[in-house]
Protein backbone atom coordinates (compact mmCIF):
# COMPACT_ATOMS: atom_id res chain seq x y z
CA UNK A 1 0.00 0.00 0.00
CA UNK A 2 1.27 3.43 -0.91
CA UNK A 3 -0.74 5.14 1.85
CA UNK A 4 -1.22 8.83 1.11
CA UNK A 5 0.55 10.27 -1.92
CA UNK A 6 0.75 13.87 -3.08
CA UNK A 7 1.49 15.32 -6.51
CA UNK A 8 3.59 17.33 -7.20
CA UNK A 9 6.35 17.38 -4.55
CA UNK A 10 7.54 20.87 -5.49
CA UNK A 11 6.12 23.72 -7.50
CA UNK A 12 6.99 27.33 -8.21
CA UNK A 13 4.22 29.64 -9.39
CA UNK A 14 4.04 33.26 -10.38
CA UNK A 15 1.48 35.50 -8.73
CA UNK A 16 -1.89 35.05 -10.39
CA UNK A 17 -1.23 31.60 -11.80
CA UNK A 18 -3.45 28.68 -10.93
CA UNK A 19 -2.68 25.10 -10.03
CA UNK A 20 -4.16 21.96 -8.57
CA UNK A 21 -2.58 19.75 -5.95
CA UNK A 22 -3.59 16.10 -6.03
CA UNK A 23 -3.90 13.84 -3.01
CA UNK A 24 -4.59 10.13 -3.32
CA UNK A 25 -5.08 7.45 -0.66
CA UNK A 26 -5.43 3.72 -1.04
CA UNK A 27 -6.73 2.92 2.46
CA UNK A 28 -10.43 3.36 1.66
CA UNK A 29 -10.65 6.20 4.17
CA UNK A 30 -13.79 8.29 4.35
CA UNK A 31 -12.18 11.47 5.65
CA UNK A 32 -9.56 13.55 3.88
CA UNK A 33 -7.90 16.85 4.78
CA UNK A 34 -5.71 19.58 3.37
CA UNK A 35 -3.37 21.47 5.71
CA UNK A 36 -0.78 24.16 5.20
CA UNK A 37 2.31 24.62 7.32
CA UNK A 38 4.32 27.82 7.37
CA UNK A 39 7.86 28.00 8.79
CA UNK A 40 7.91 27.51 12.55
CA UNK A 41 4.15 27.08 12.66
CA UNK A 42 1.86 24.19 13.29
CA UNK A 43 -0.51 22.81 10.73
CA UNK A 44 -3.59 24.79 9.82
CA UNK A 45 -6.58 23.09 8.27
CA UNK A 46 -7.66 24.52 4.91
CA UNK A 47 -10.53 22.26 3.84
CA UNK A 48 -11.67 18.77 4.65
CA UNK A 49 -14.08 16.13 3.37
CA UNK A 50 -16.17 13.65 5.34
CA UNK A 51 -16.92 11.51 2.30
CA UNK A 52 -17.08 11.33 -1.47
CA UNK A 53 -18.84 14.36 -2.90
CA UNK A 54 -18.59 16.42 0.31
CA UNK A 55 -16.29 19.26 1.33
CA UNK A 56 -16.14 21.68 4.25
CA UNK A 57 -14.12 24.72 5.26
CA UNK A 58 -11.39 24.56 7.85
CA UNK A 59 -9.50 27.33 9.63
CA UNK A 60 -7.97 29.05 6.58
CA UNK A 61 -10.10 28.33 3.48
CA UNK A 62 -9.82 31.67 1.68
CA UNK A 63 -8.07 31.50 -1.69
CA UNK A 64 -8.48 27.73 -2.01
CA UNK A 65 -11.09 25.38 -3.46
CA UNK A 66 -11.37 21.63 -3.14
CA UNK A 67 -13.17 18.73 -4.76
CA UNK A 68 -13.76 15.11 -3.75
CA UNK A 69 -15.23 13.49 -6.83
CA UNK A 70 -13.77 10.08 -6.00
CA UNK A 71 -13.37 8.60 -2.55
CA UNK A 72 -9.65 8.06 -3.00
CA UNK A 73 -8.80 11.53 -4.32
CA UNK A 74 -8.93 15.01 -2.79
CA UNK A 75 -7.93 17.94 -4.96
CA UNK A 76 -6.80 21.36 -3.71
CA UNK A 77 -7.00 24.25 -6.16
CA UNK A 78 -5.47 27.68 -6.13
CA UNK A 79 -7.29 29.84 -8.67
CA UNK A 80 -5.04 32.89 -8.45
CA UNK A 81 -1.90 32.23 -6.44
CA UNK A 82 -0.54 34.88 -4.07
CA UNK A 83 2.85 35.08 -2.30
CA UNK A 84 1.00 34.55 1.01
CA UNK A 85 0.19 31.04 -0.19
CA UNK A 86 3.85 30.07 -0.21
CA UNK A 87 3.85 27.13 2.18
CA UNK A 88 4.17 23.38 2.56
CA UNK A 89 0.86 21.64 1.92
CA UNK A 90 0.03 18.35 3.57
CA UNK A 91 -2.82 16.03 2.74
CA UNK A 92 -4.11 13.51 5.26
CA UNK A 93 -6.80 10.87 5.53
CA UNK A 94 -8.52 8.99 8.33
CA UNK A 95 -10.95 6.11 8.60
CA UNK A 96 -13.46 7.63 10.97
CA UNK A 97 -14.54 10.86 12.64
CA UNK A 98 -12.39 13.88 12.57
CA UNK A 99 -11.02 14.43 16.03
CA UNK A 100 -9.62 11.27 17.61
CA UNK A 101 -9.17 8.98 14.65
CA UNK A 102 -5.58 8.54 13.49
CA UNK A 103 -4.72 10.71 10.53
CA UNK A 104 -2.27 9.43 7.92
CA UNK A 105 -0.27 12.16 6.24
CA UNK A 106 1.30 12.45 2.84
CA UNK A 107 4.88 13.64 2.25
CA UNK A 108 3.88 17.22 1.47
CA UNK A 109 4.04 19.62 -1.45
CA UNK A 110 6.36 22.59 -1.19
CA UNK A 111 4.83 25.53 -3.04
CA UNK A 112 6.55 28.83 -3.73
CA UNK A 113 4.63 31.75 -5.17
CA UNK A 114 6.80 34.52 -6.60
CA UNK B 1 -12.60 21.44 21.15
CA UNK B 2 -10.39 21.44 24.22
CA UNK B 3 -7.49 23.82 23.83
CA UNK B 4 -4.03 22.48 24.58
CA UNK B 5 -0.91 24.20 25.88
CA UNK B 6 2.56 22.72 25.58
CA UNK B 7 6.12 24.10 25.74
CA UNK B 8 7.41 25.65 22.54
CA UNK B 9 10.76 23.88 22.69
CA UNK B 10 12.91 21.49 24.73
CA UNK B 11 16.50 20.34 24.54
CA UNK B 12 17.85 16.99 25.71
CA UNK B 13 21.04 14.99 25.53
CA UNK B 14 21.13 11.60 23.92
CA UNK B 15 20.24 8.75 26.25
CA UNK B 16 18.08 10.85 28.55
CA UNK B 17 14.37 10.38 29.18
CA UNK B 18 12.29 13.26 27.87
CA UNK B 19 8.91 14.23 29.28
CA UNK B 20 6.68 16.68 27.41
CA UNK B 21 3.65 17.88 29.32
CA UNK B 22 0.48 19.14 27.70
CA UNK B 23 -2.27 21.04 29.53
CA UNK B 24 -5.90 20.61 28.50
CA UNK B 25 -7.95 22.06 31.34
CA UNK B 26 -11.31 21.94 29.55
CA UNK B 27 -11.09 18.39 28.25
CA UNK B 28 -14.52 16.82 27.73
CA UNK B 29 -15.68 13.45 29.02
CA UNK B 30 -15.51 11.78 25.61
CA UNK B 31 -12.19 13.31 24.55
CA UNK B 32 -9.07 11.27 23.89
CA UNK B 33 -5.54 12.62 24.05
CA UNK B 34 -3.43 12.02 20.96
CA UNK B 35 0.19 12.80 20.20
CA UNK B 36 1.74 13.19 16.78
CA UNK B 37 5.41 13.40 15.83
CA UNK B 38 6.73 15.39 12.87
CA UNK B 39 10.24 15.00 11.54
CA UNK B 40 11.74 17.79 9.43
CA UNK B 41 10.39 17.84 5.86
CA UNK B 42 7.82 15.12 6.60
CA UNK B 43 4.16 14.97 7.49
CA UNK B 44 3.16 14.25 11.09
CA UNK B 45 2.64 10.69 12.21
CA UNK B 46 0.48 9.34 15.01
CA UNK B 47 2.54 7.98 17.90
CA UNK B 48 0.25 7.36 20.84
CA UNK B 49 -3.26 7.90 22.17
CA UNK B 50 -4.88 7.50 25.56
CA UNK B 51 -7.99 8.18 27.58
CA UNK B 52 -6.84 7.76 31.18
CA UNK B 53 -4.02 6.30 33.31
CA UNK B 54 -1.05 5.05 31.30
CA UNK B 55 -0.52 3.82 27.76
CA UNK B 56 2.75 2.40 26.45
CA UNK B 57 3.84 1.33 23.00
CA UNK B 58 7.14 0.71 21.25
CA UNK B 59 7.71 4.44 20.72
CA UNK B 60 6.54 6.21 23.87
CA UNK B 61 4.49 6.20 27.04
CA UNK B 62 1.58 8.49 27.81
CA UNK B 63 0.71 9.34 31.39
CA UNK B 64 -2.71 10.80 32.16
CA UNK B 65 -3.66 11.76 35.74
CA UNK B 66 -7.09 11.05 37.16
CA UNK B 67 -8.44 14.56 36.47
CA UNK B 68 -7.25 14.33 32.83
CA UNK B 69 -6.46 18.06 32.75
CA UNK B 70 -2.95 17.35 31.58
CA UNK B 71 -0.93 14.55 30.03
CA UNK B 72 2.76 13.72 29.71
CA UNK B 73 4.43 12.14 26.73
CA UNK B 74 7.51 10.23 27.82
CA UNK B 75 10.26 9.25 25.40
CA UNK B 76 12.76 6.82 26.96
CA UNK B 77 16.46 7.22 26.19
CA UNK B 78 16.16 9.61 23.28
CA UNK B 79 18.52 9.53 20.32
CA UNK B 80 19.36 12.13 17.70
CA UNK B 81 16.64 10.64 15.49
CA UNK B 82 13.99 11.69 18.02
CA UNK B 83 14.59 15.33 17.10
CA UNK B 84 11.15 16.40 15.90
CA UNK B 85 8.10 18.48 16.70
CA UNK B 86 5.58 16.80 18.98
CA UNK B 87 1.91 17.81 18.89
CA UNK B 88 -0.66 17.17 21.62
CA UNK B 89 -4.28 17.09 20.47
CA UNK B 90 -7.57 16.46 22.25
CA UNK B 91 -10.81 15.34 20.68
CA UNK B 92 -13.45 12.64 20.51
CA UNK B 93 -14.42 9.95 17.99
CA UNK B 94 -18.00 10.95 17.50
CA UNK B 95 -18.03 14.52 16.38
CA UNK B 96 -17.36 16.04 13.00
CA UNK B 97 -15.14 18.81 14.28
CA UNK B 98 -11.57 18.66 12.94
CA UNK B 99 -8.50 18.55 15.13
CA UNK B 100 -6.52 21.70 15.67
CA UNK B 101 -2.76 21.28 15.53
CA UNK B 102 -1.04 23.96 17.60
CA UNK B 103 2.62 24.85 17.17
CA UNK B 104 3.72 21.76 19.06
CA UNK B 105 6.91 21.24 21.06
CA UNK B 106 10.16 21.29 19.15
CA UNK B 107 12.47 18.70 20.73
CA UNK B 108 16.15 18.98 19.94
CA UNK B 109 18.34 16.05 20.94
CA UNK B 110 22.01 16.88 21.37
CA UNK B 111 24.88 14.41 21.15
Amino acid sequence: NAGVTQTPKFRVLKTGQSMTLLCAQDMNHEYMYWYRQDPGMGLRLIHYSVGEGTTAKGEVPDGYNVSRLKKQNFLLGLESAAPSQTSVYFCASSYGGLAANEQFFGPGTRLTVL
Amino acid sequence: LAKTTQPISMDSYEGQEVNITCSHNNIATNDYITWYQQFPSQGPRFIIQGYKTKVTNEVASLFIPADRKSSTLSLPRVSLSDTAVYYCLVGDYSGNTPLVFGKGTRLSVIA
Side-chain angles (χ1 to χ4, degrees):
Chain A
N1 288 348
V4 179
T5 58
Q6 294 182 230
T7 308
K9 290 185 171 52
F10 303 92
R11 185 72 187 268
V12 179
L13 290 178
K14 294 181 179 179
T15 297
Q17 287 185 317
S18 64
M19 78 163 294
T20 300
L21 282 68
L22 170 64
C23 176
Q25 53 95 3
D26 61 2
M27 296 173 282
N28 202 33
H29 285 169
E30 289 293 335
Y31 295 75
M32 296 187 75
Y33 319 81
W34 275 108
Y35 294 90
R36 62 176 289 175
Q37 185 171 39
D38 301 314
M41 302 289 288
L43 286 84
R44 291 185 292 170
L45 184 65
I46 305 171
H47 285 280
Y48 62 98
S49 168
V50 301
E52 181 179 319
T54 74
T55 63
K57 294 180 180 180
E59 295 175 77
V60 289
D62 294 341
Y64 305 95
N65 57 75
V66 288
S67 64
R68 183 98 181 268
L69 299 179
K70 293 183 179 180
K71 186 177 183 178
Q72 63 268 33
N73 295 337
F74 196 30
L75 305 179
L76 177 70
L78 285 74
E79 290 186 349
S80 180
S84 60
Q85 294 178 304
T86 293
S87 189
V88 179
Y89 291 85
F90 289 102
C91 175
S93 70
S94 65
Y95 176 73
L98 299 180
N101 283 275
E102 178 180 355
Q103 292 190 25
F104 295 81
F105 283 80
T109 294
R110 187 174 296 275
L111 174 67
T112 301
V113 183
L114 302 176
Chain B
L1 282 179
K3 182 179 178 180
T4 61
T5 302
Q6 52 183 122
I8 295 295
S9 65
M10 296 180 69
D11 293 332
S12 175
Y13 287 102
E14 275 192 299
Q16 289 188 326
E17 178 183 73
V18 171
N19 295 310
I20 306 174
T21 297
C22 178
S23 297
H24 28 80
N25 290 320
N26 59 340
I27 189 169
T29 302
N30 294 329
D31 285 345
Y32 285 72
I33 300 150
T34 308
W35 286 79
Y36 284 79
Q37 174 190 55
Q38 184 179 24
F39 296 118
S41 301
Q42 294 185 25
R45 69 164 186 154
F46 172 101
I47 51 172
I48 199 166
Q49 184 181 79
Y51 183 78
K52 61 180 178 180
T53 63
K54 176 184 174 183
V55 179
T56 297
N57 62 23
E58 66 279 4
V59 176
S61 295
L62 180 59
F63 298 91
I64 305 168
D67 66 6
R68 305 202 324 125
K69 293 184 182 299
S70 67
S71 59
T72 299
L73 176 73
S74 180
L75 305 172
R77 296 182 297 281
V78 294
S79 65
L80 295 176
S81 62
D82 291 315
T83 293
V85 178
Y86 294 83
Y87 298 94
C88 166
L89 300 99
V90 173
D92 65 23
Y93 277 90
S94 61
N96 272 338
T97 305
L99 286 176
V100 175
F101 283 81
K103 294 183 180 181
T105 297
R106 185 173 298 275
L107 172 65
S108 297
V109 180
I110 307 162

